[in-house]
Amino acid sequence: MNSHTNALSTDDSHTSRPSVPGSENRPPSVPHAADDPGAAGASGGNDSYDFVVVANRLPVDRAQGPQGPEWRQSPGGLVTGLAPVMKRRSGAWIGWTGAPDEEIEPFDLDDMHLVPVRLSTDDVYSYYEGFSNATLWPLYHDVIVPPEFHRKWWDAYVRVNTRFARAAAASAAPGALVWVHDYQLQLVPGILRELRPDVKIGFFNHIPFPPYEIFAQLPWRRRILIGLLGADLVGFQRPSDTANFRRAVRRTLGYLARNSVVRVPASQQSPEHLCETGSFPISIDAGAMDALARDERIRKRAEEIREEVGNPRTLILGVDRMDYTKGIRHRLKAYEELLEDGRLSTESTTFIQIATPSRERLDYYKQIRRDVELAVGRINGDHSALGKAAVHYLHQSFPREEMAAFYLAADVMLVTALRDGMNLVAKEYVACRVEEDGVLVLSEFTGAADELRQALLVNPHDIAGLKNAITQAVHMTPEEAGRRMRRLRSKVRHDDVLQWASTFLDRLQMVGEQRERTHSVLPETQRPSRVTQESALPADVVERLSAVCSARRLLIALDFDGVLAPLVDDPATSAPLPETVETVHRLAALDDVLIAYVSGRELPDLVSRVDAPPGALFAGSHGAQLDLSGLGAAAPSTTSRAGSPLAELHPSTEEREQLADLDAALDRAAQQLGDYGQFRVEEKALGRSVHTRGLEPEFADRVYDLMQEIAEDHPRLRYTRGHEVREFAVRHSTKGHAITALRAATGADAILYIGDDVTDEDAFARLRQAGPGPDLGLKVGPGHTLAAGRISDPHAVTAVLVECLRLRRSANRS
Ligand code: GDG
């Protein structure tokens, strides 16, 4: 995400038509190419690529070479991060050249195929400088300056995102991996999914994702979220960004976010799909940086730099784009006060601030430049001597080699961003310190602070604290600096950019393949038709079903929540899908097909919810409560797991005491959590379930920690970890026990069991161990499983049951 706009020669004036009122709330759909005059420059040519990167900027800048103008790889976070990966995979990169109104044919450079997207002067003004950098950038960086909301800018954002998506669609080979980058292109995943449902779409946000309360200001928040959710995988820098995104999805769209996976419902354009979210902290090409720092020429240059600034005892460095998020003013203020207080002196210390020109036509960027230059002028006026400048200020770009020499020359590196997705400068400094010396002062508001814990972490708003940290850095003993730097270096070396990219891409490949298996999507389509439920079943599942359904006496055992009933935030409202209920009734009417419901819910609750056919069997409370009365006279009426009467489903005196103890412990936990104590306790006859649905992941984690402690303090209770639920039971029973009991009672030759949760794994395990016939366990949704097959969601459960019905009926006929 190169943000340098100094190459632009666009006209600042804009007097385009006002946008149509309410247009921001229209549902997204792909505009026709004819609606977009810029679309001509967005064609990818006739070639197609298995790996396509889509980013606002191409990874090149135009420079004057010996033979005239030529393209060179440009500086900037994303370019620095992705260039090595692109070279290894030889893919296509779709982006803007950085100059307006240019029509440039695709070309190759450094093993990369580059596809320029044309931006008009107005696009640059409204989409790039406007919506991207004056609306989204400040909004996503804690509103350090106020974001501006203009419908005209939004219209341009939609138009340009559509153009990028079309270019990606034209360049991607069937089933390709397409990796979309950053806040300028958040609508691309959704548009691309409509155009090319066959490709695997990843999105990575390089900048923070804001807390919901801030994001909610955006008038087009729904459209942005829907755009992002078009991806198979949406990645962020920090876990807190991911949590903010999921919360925004839940609050704005009401979609269910289960662990890291958001279930995106079908639209007119696309079938339902799962969108996985996660954090993938970006890094740098640490090996290349290390090699540069060992290069003799660079080491010599570093010495020269020190000499040129008067060989100070301590050289302090700052390197940033000139941006109000980077906290340059805050660090200058701290430095100025240290000179005033006499805690630092220009006799022994100097400060080099490199501030690379960035977004120079935007008002707040002009403002930050003025503020910085005013401060530098004042500090130098007050504190410099001839030949001994307090601050060396360079508002320039430098080649990579020169940057490495600066890092190598500096004893102390100041990174004081007020908010930063990651901050690569911090990692680059560490990678260059091959002698394991030097001190990094790092803002806790950067993504890098999550990883670089041995830096001196600072709150840049706390000027007194910042001054102390700078003083501590200047006076740190070589031993302590070495100890810290060694640990920082091992962190940066191990998680470098290749690792980052391959982690993201491997994950994307996996979730994309999972989607392909669950939705049989046509490889080359213009626009997808909704897949039918039958066609949504993976081939291996259909094959296994035909084996299990050929058994003489078949037992179909079904979990309830997440299998018969889609998951909802409030378990009290879950209800089975009507089409599943109908299919189950038809199956139950066939000879030698038995239906059982197996759930963690209490028996009466389960019975009241499932709308069961006559003759159905029930296993509530994970098998602790069985109702086999459906078998008629052949079976005991209502029995417990051991086959005793229903009365025994009530707790014994001893069990009641255990439950009272447990209740007291849960009360204490709720008190201890204070504001966090929003977990819900469900009282069951034989235990308690602690629900965390709807809680923020970090709150839920605190609840889980406390529940774990309670479980350790009460070893006689059975403790089970389910999805967003922790369960305590006074009787030890699992869904595996339920399966054994059901098999014994029914004499079934084969069992088909469908479940979605961790507690269903006991049933899957039991099917694997035992069983004379071709038993089949099916897992609904993502996650590790012992089940032999996997299906996507409760709609696919209907499809499985419809297929069973078809197989049993045709077997009966033949
Ligand atoms: C965004 C996010 C995230 C700077 N001046 C020159 C130059 N640079 C290089 C640095 C570094 C990169 O640019 C700046 O990266 P940062 O991470 O510090 O910041 P942003 O540009 O704001 O990047 C950020 C990043 O995306 C990646 O995801 O970390 O949080 O805001 O590599 O060295 N390079 C050269 N000459 C310069 O004058 N050669």
Side-chain angles (χ1 to χ4, degrees):
M1 49 143 292
N2 187 322
S3 329
H4 301 224
T5 56
N6 45 344
L8 306 180
S9 56
T10 50
D11 180 359
D12 251 333
S13 65
H14 68 108
T15 51
S16 325
R17 62 181 165 76
S19 68
V20 182
S23 60
E24 61 274 25
N25 287 322
R26 278 198 304 258
S29 65
V30 184
H32 291 293
D35 295 345
D36 178 11
S43 114
N46 296 326
D47 299 333
S48 61
Y49 295 81
D50 289 329
F51 179 53
V52 178
V53 171
V54 191
N56 174 60
R57 279 295 305 273
L58 284 173
V60 288
D61 280 331
R62 213 183 326 244
Q64 196 55 39
Q67 269 93 46
E70 61 181 30
W71 295 106
R72 291 203 194 133
Q73 195 175 304
S74 50
L78 176 59
V79 182
T80 318
L82 265 184
V85 190
M86 284 296 293
K87 283 175 190 167
R88 278 195 339 168
R89 291 194 177 230
S90 72
W93 186 310
I94 289 160
W96 174 45
T97 60
D101 299 316
E102 254 189 354
E103 203 74 65
I104 297 179
E105 286 302 306
F107 61 97
D108 293 332
L109 182 86
D110 293 345
D111 304 323
M112 293 187 276
H113 180 70
L114 303 177
V115 182
V117 173
R118 178 179 185 275
L119 292 193
S120 69
T121 301
D122 181 59
D123 293 335
V124 174
Y125 179 84
S126 304
Y127 145 78
Y128 178 67
E129 297 184 324
F131 199 78
S132 297
N133 288 327
T135 304
L136 293 173
W137 179 271
L139 189 76
Y140 282 31
H141 285 90
D142 282 358
V143 294
I144 295 168
V145 305
E148 288 182 54
F149 303 116
H150 298 297
R151 282 165 288 180
K152 185 176 135 352
W153 289 0
W154 166 252
D155 291 343
Y157 189 77
V158 175
R159 180 174 73 228
V160 173
N161 270 252
T162 306
R163 201 178 304 155
F164 273 83
R166 285 184 183 285
S171 295
L177 282 188
V178 181
W179 194 357
V180 185
H181 288 265
D182 230 357
Y183 64 102
Q184 304 94 343
L185 299 177
Q186 294 174 97
L187 303 180
V188 169
I191 302 169
L192 184 58
R193 179 165 295 282
E194 285 183 31
L195 293 168
R196 289 290 302 272
D198 60 301
V199 298
K200 303 174 187 76
I201 308 170
F203 180 91
F204 184 75
N205 202 46
H206 289 255
I207 69 173
F209 195 89
Y212 174 73
E213 289 67 20
I214 291 182
F215 180 73
Q217 290 181 17
L218 190 66
W220 308 277
R221 58 196 181 188
R222 289 180 64 83
R223 299 275 301 271
I224 293 285
L225 294 175
I226 289 169
L228 289 169
L229 289 171
D232 292 296
L233 176 62
V234 178
F236 299 91
Q237 304 273 26
R238 313 171 86 162
S240 52
D241 300 319
T242 318
N244 286 344
F245 173 69
R246 285 203 290 259
R247 186 152 171 258
V249 168
R250 275 202 299 269
R251 298 275 310 258
T252 311
L253 301 173
Y255 293 176
L256 198 66
R258 202 177 177 211
N259 285 343
S260 59
V261 181
V262 180
R263 193 172 288 279
V264 184
S267 68
Q268 273 184 332
Q269 290 81 21
S270 312
E272 175 183 284
H273 78 278
L274 300 179
C275 172
E276 181 153 334
T277 61
S279 63
F280 298 84
I282 196 172
S283 198
I284 56 166
D285 191 353
M289 226 46 208
D290 181 282
L292 266 185
R294 291 177 198 276
D295 184 319
E296 265 321 305
R297 285 162 301 180
I298 306 252
R299 300 181 74 76
K300 189 155 165 295
R301 176 65 196 134
E303 277 169 31
E304 280 169 20
I305 290 173
R306 291 189 71 98
E307 269 166 36
E308 285 166 16
V309 295
N311 259 328
R313 203 185 67 207
T314 310
L315 173 53
I316 303 176
L317 178 67
V319 173
D320 312 82
R321 277 186 307 97
M322 178 66 93
D323 195 299
Y324 50 77
T325 60
K326 302 290 183 182
I328 306 173
R329 278 189 309 121
H330 295 64
R331 93 182 60 133
L332 284 170
K333 179 153 185 61
Y335 180 63
E336 181 177 22
E337 286 190 15
L338 285 169
L339 292 174
E340 275 163 10
D341 302 346
R343 290 166 76 186
L344 288 183
S345 123
T346 46
E347 277 306 308
S348 57
T349 313
T350 195
F351 177 30
I352 302 181
Q353 174 64 54
I354 298 175
T356 313
S358 185
R359 307 174 193 170
E360 292 195 284
R361 299 176 350 139
L362 299 188
D363 285 345
Y364 283 108
Y365 287 78
K366 290 181 184 154
Q367 178 70 43
I368 182 68
R369 182 174 176 189
R370 270 199 301 273
D371 291 349
V372 165
E373 293 181 352
L374 205 65
V376 169
R378 191 179 56 238
I379 298 171
N380 277 337
D382 289 348
H383 299 284
S384 296
L386 288 179
K388 282 202 185 308
V391 184
H392 298 263
Y393 164 69
L394 302 163
H395 184 245
Q396 301 161 34
S397 286
F398 294 95
R400 240 170 108 245
E401 294 73 14
E402 185 74 356
M403 298 295 290
F406 275 112
Y407 291 138
L408 210 47
D411 304 297
V412 174
M413 181 82 213
L414 297 187
V415 176
T416 56
L418 307 178
R419 178 57 76 199
D420 215 333
M422 176 53 62
N423 196 291
L424 297 180
V425 165
K427 293 188 170 181
E428 287 165 359
Y429 177 69
V430 169
C432 281
R433 304 307 299 185
V434 291
E435 305 291 340
E436 299 177 339
D437 58 0
V439 185
L440 173 64
V441 176
L442 179 61
S443 160
E444 61 192 62
F445 303 123
T446 62
D450 276 5
E451 300 168 81
L452 304 182
R453 306 301 298 174
Q454 287 73 32
L456 293 182
L457 295 179
V458 291
N459 167 5
H461 298 283
D462 169 13
I463 300 295
L466 182 53
K467 285 164 68 180
N468 289 341
I470 296 174
T471 318
Q472 190 187 346
V474 168
H475 297 297
M476 191 176 282
T477 62
E479 293 71 34
E480 185 179 353
R483 196 168 41 77
R484 287 173 181 267
M485 188 51 75
R486 267 190 296 283
R487 296 189 51 194
L488 290 172
R489 285 180 63 75
S490 95
K491 180 79 198 147
V492 168
R493 234 193 343 262
H494 284 116
D495 305 335
D496 90 344
V497 71
L498 294 175
Q499 162 106 12
W500 166 74
S502 58
T503 308
F504 186 94
L505 292 170
D506 289 350
R507 190 81 209 139
L508 174 58
Q509 180 79 31
M510 220 196 85
V511 295
E513 279 172 6
Q514 215 164 322
R515 178 175 51 77
E516 274 170 3
R517 279 199 299 275
T518 40
H519 299 278
S520 46
V521 177
L522 299 171
E524 293 191 66
T525 49
Q526 311 302 319
R527 167 171 287 226
S529 60
R530 265 214 74 176
V531 289
T532 64
Q533 284 165 348
E534 283 78 5
S535 70
L537 292 182
D540 67 308
V541 170
V542 174
E543 202 172 300
R544 286 173 205 272
L545 278 175
S546 100
V548 73
C549 287
S550 66
R552 195 185 56 79
R553 193 166 165 80
L554 171 67
L555 171 66
I556 301 177
L558 303 161
D559 176 29
F560 179 70
D561 295 272
V563 172
L564 296 176
L567 290 173
V568 285
D569 274 343
D570 179 4
T573 62
S574 40
L577 291 174
E579 56 272 31
T580 311
V581 172
E582 192 190 318
T583 315
V584 169
H585 278 250
R586 288 191 190 169
L587 277 163
L590 298 180
D591 287 343
D592 278 326
V593 176
L594 295 143
I595 302 293
Y597 299 92
V598 180
S599 171
R601 286 182 183 253
E602 295 215 282
L603 189 60
D605 183 22
L606 177 65
V607 173
S608 73
R609 272 173 203 282
V610 289
D611 195 354
L617 314 173
F618 300 91
S621 300
H622 302 294
Q625 301 172 305
L626 286 188
D627 180 347
L628 305 178
S629 54
L631 288 172
S637 59
T638 302
T639 61
S640 74
R641 180 158 59 80
S644 33
L646 183 61
E648 283 195 17
L649 296 177
H650 296 298
S652 64
T653 314
E654 194 192 338
E655 286 170 338
R656 259 201 302 277
E657 278 166 14
Q658 286 181 41
L659 286 171
D661 253 15
L662 173 62
D663 286 337
L666 291 173
D667 281 348
R668 281 195 299 276
Q671 275 167 17
Q672 208 172 327
L673 284 163
D675 289 343
Y676 293 113
Q678 310 152 27
F679 61 83
R680 205 174 56 76
V681 179
E682 184 189 351
E683 287 198 12
K684 296 180 171 179
L686 299 170
R688 302 288 181 261
S689 298
V690 174
H691 294 277
T692 58
R693 270 188 217 178
L695 288 194
E696 286 306 308
E698 49 272 44
F699 297 168
D701 284 347
R702 296 208 43 188
V703 175
Y704 299 151
D705 286 349
L706 280 171
M707 294 308 128
Q708 180 67 38
E709 281 173 24
I710 293 178
E712 284 163 15
D713 292 347
H714 297 79
R716 290 172 62 202
L717 297 178
R718 182 185 160 78
Y719 180 58
T720 320
R721 295 179 197 83
H723 172 69
E724 299 185 335
V725 65
R726 295 294 182 268
E727 300 192 59
F728 296 93
V730 289
R731 275 188 217 159
H732 289 212
S733 182
T734 68
K735 288 179 178 175
H737 292 122
I739 288 295
T740 306
L742 286 167
R743 192 195 296 279
T746 58
D749 299 306
I751 300 179
L752 165 63
Y753 182 84
I754 314 183
D756 74 318
D757 201 357
V758 187
T759 56
D760 295 305
E761 293 302 315
D762 291 318
F764 296 138
R766 200 58 66 103
L767 291 186
R768 291 212 153 204
Q769 284 164 14
D775 292 340
L776 173 60
L778 289 180
K779 160 99 176 167
V780 180
H784 170 78
T785 186
L786 293 170
R790 188 190 300 276
I791 53 176
S792 58
D793 55 27
H795 294 285
V797 173
T798 320
V800 165
L801 298 176
V802 167
E803 179 66 7
C804 289
L805 193 61
R806 192 184 67 75
L807 288 163
R808 292 298 290 197
R809 278 184 177 157
S810 59
N812 286 351
R813 273 197 298 274
S814 59

